[in-house]
Amino acid sequence: MQSAIQPGCTQLSSCKRRFLAYNMLGSISSCESDGFSHVEVDFHDTSRGLRVPSMTDYFGFTMAAMNDKGSIFANPQKGEKNPSTLLYRPFNSWTNNSEWSMRFPVEEEVKAVAIGNGWAAAATSLHFLRVYSEAGLQTFVLSLSGPVVALAGHEHQLAVVIHASNPLASGDQILEFLALDMRKKRQTQAGRLPLSPGATLTWLGFSEAGCLSTYDSEGVLRVYSSEFNGCWVPLFRASEERKGTDVNFWMVGLNSTQVFCVVCKAPSVEPQVLPKPVLGIFSTSVPVIHSDLGADDLENAYLRGILQLTQAHTKAVEAAVAGCDDEDEEESLLKKEVEVDRCLLRLIAAACKGDKLAKALELSTQLSLQKSLEGAIKVVNAMRLPSLAERLSLILEERITRERLEAGANRHKGDLVSSSMASPVTTHAPFPRGPKTQGQQSQPNYSPVADAHIQVPDRAAELASSPVDINSTAHTFKPALSKAHKRVTADAMEPDLKVPLEVGNTGDDPLTNSSKKSMAPSGVVNAYGKLKPSNPFAKPVIAPMRHDTEGSEKSDSILLSLKKIQHGAIDVQVQRKASSTPVK
């Protein structure tokens, strides 16, 4: 069973020097002399301007971890008089006495340490994971399900690797990993840790983008991806970079496209403190098999681009869930999509040259952007492949139609949400219904959302054109006309309706009774008169005035005026017929 390791830590060399920690930020080295050790902290970027003074080690530290704010040290137990000790040392603090230390009991020994933003962690021989704050407060203690193998920290993330069971008979180890969010105190990832057959874990860490990564003794680097609900993707193999030379690669770190290692000449497997090691830069590469297309490099670039696109999409989703709109994340996501589409276009061109039309069509369906699909059609037309170009055009039309439908559905959904959240107003309310008369059908009940799309003029026109009983529905027209009177123009009105009308009491129609109030809103005639400028050369039109028996003048409504005009026209026709009939 593999013992616990500390990433970036080396064994004590013959010159009594060793690295306690080595990462992409800097290194912590220790040198023994006169029974004590001398600890130094160096940064790779000398322009930082921060110089950490050296420290005398009286405890015999054998492991350490560092970030840009501080470092954490630990030593194993050396008898009852020298228990295991944990020491935190900040690089810059507003107070002088900012260091703190913890001494463990005799039965407990520190096996691995890690550090992050505002926290430090130590895994012990009792299968405890102890978490401390930056000031030394013990914030949490949890039990691990097996012996610890390694710890690694990055910002708010903590990775833990433990033994799940004893190794198999073939020598393969059974390891498990945990990824913890120290800020939210929740577990984000968990599962089995893959290794090469018969290999051991030699490095655990995070990429610059925060992706969990591992490196084993067979020289295989793996990166955790959220695809397939969590999987490990091999991105580097030392056997492909050796090229016949007998060298070993000591892992330091990686970013999205490059791997940083220290190349050690065999039989050495780790670097020496002096001279200072030089980092070797290698490109990430997915182990693809040679295909008949003959574009292995393009397929490799496509697979790496898909992995980077997935990571960028995961970050964008996390930012959206957190409620922070990060424009940099969205721009990075768009750049990754463009890079993947560019690689796909090259693969489509290679497939067309190799007469692999089915593969070219399949690759075209993987394009993310509409402009990329249009570019693929141009490439196919330039190669004189009309059948493939026709199929790609159909795919483009189908995608445009689908996007339009989705945009319309989203717009309609937004309208529904905004309508349901808005306060009800009078123009969106359903029309008031009059008392149900004989032969009149009951109207359906409209929801507030459906009523918001009803247009008042259409309903008024429908009611005006339908043969209804005026006596029974007179109060129904009153609010309808009061809402629609502003939509009626002066040109649509009769000349005799542009001035106030005075009607008398006929005694037959209850609407002409002097006790009835006018249903036209106050000031409606003046409003209509302002819509059209007056013509000084036009002949004045005088509306016929009728005086009631009581001598009072009342303004009538538009509906009543229309009715009286109709009755007047009928009276004129009756008089004409009577005058034309010869008297016997």
Side-chain angles (χ1 to χ4, degrees), residues 397-583:
E397 293 178 0
E398 181 182 357
R399 180 174 296 185
I400 293 176
T401 304
R402 184 173 63 252
E403 290 178 355
R404 288 179 179 175
L405 291 176
E406 292 177 356
N410 294 335
R411 191 182 303 109
H412 180 64
K413 184 178 180 181
D415 294 342
L416 293 179
V417 173
S418 60
S419 299
S420 62
M421 295 178 62
S423 59
V425 292
T426 56
T427 55
H428 290 181
F431 289 101
R433 307 297 177 188
K436 182 178 178 181
T437 60
Q438 185 177 2
Q440 185 179 1
Q441 297 180 358
S442 61
Q443 299 293 337
N445 295 328
Y446 293 95
S447 64
V449 177
D451 292 333
H453 301 282
I454 297 176
Q455 298 296 331
V456 175
D458 297 341
R459 180 59 180 168
E462 179 184 355
L463 294 175
S465 61
S466 60
V468 296
D469 188 2
I470 300 179
N471 297 332
S472 62
T473 59
H475 60 282
T476 305
F477 284 86
K478 181 177 180 180
L481 292 176
S482 64
K483 297 172 186 177
H485 75 275
K486 293 184 179 180
R487 297 183 176 87
V488 182
T489 61
D491 297 334
M493 301 177 61
E494 295 294 333
D496 57 345
L497 296 179
K498 295 181 182 179
V499 295
L501 299 179
E502 296 180 1
V503 297
N505 186 7
T506 61
D508 297 332
D509 193 348
L511 291 177
T512 61
N513 195 337
S514 59
S515 61
K516 294 288 184 177
K517 296 183 178 180
S518 174
M519 292 184 296
S522 61
V524 64
V525 179
N526 296 333
Y528 293 148
K530 295 179 181 179
L531 291 176
K532 186 175 180 180
S534 62
N535 187 0
F537 301 99
K539 294 181 178 181
V541 180
I542 302 176
M545 305 294 294
R546 296 183 181 180
H547 298 276
D548 54 1
T549 57
E550 299 178 357
S552 61
E553 297 180 358
K554 302 291 183 179
S555 61
D556 204 354
S557 64
I558 298 175
L559 178 62
L560 185 57
S561 301
L562 290 173
K563 180 182 176 183
K564 290 179 180 181
I565 291 172
Q566 185 177 5
H567 287 303
I570 294 174
D571 295 339
V572 171
Q573 292 179 2
V574 172
Q575 293 176 5
R576 289 178 180 177
K577 289 181 180 181
S579 62
S580 62
T581 303
V583 180

Side-chain angles (χ1 to χ4, degrees), residues 1 145-147 149 162-166 173-176 192:
M1 183 180 292
S145 58
V149 178
I162 58 176
H163 284 284
S165 66
N166 292 325
Q173 295 193 95
I174 310 299
L175 304 181
E176 290 183 353
R192 292 291 179 89

Side-chain angles (χ1 to χ4, degrees), residues 234-281:
L235 280 184
F236 176 79
R237 289 197 301 177
S239 58
E240 296 180 356
E241 300 294 338
R242 289 192 178 99
K243 298 179 180 180
T245 58
D246 192 8
V247 294
N248 295 318
F249 294 88
W250 192 69
M251 181 59 58
V252 177
L254 72 154
N255 56 21
S256 58
T257 59
Q258 296 175 330
V259 179
F260 302 93
C261 303
V262 176
V263 180
C264 305
K265 294 184 178 180
S268 299
V269 295
E270 53 189 24
Q272 303 292 326
V273 177
L274 294 176
K276 290 186 177 181
V278 178
L279 291 179
I281 303 175

Side-chain angles (χ1 to χ4, degrees), residues 5 40 257 303 310 360:
I5 63 170
E40 294 182 353
T257 59
L303 292 177
T310 303

Side-chain angles (χ1 to χ4, degrees), residues 4-6 63 84 109-113 122-125 148-149:
I5 63 170
Q6 182 66 36
M63 65 190 79
S84 184
E109 181 182 8
V110 177
K111 294 293 184 180
V113 294
T124 67
S125 58
V148 66
V149 178

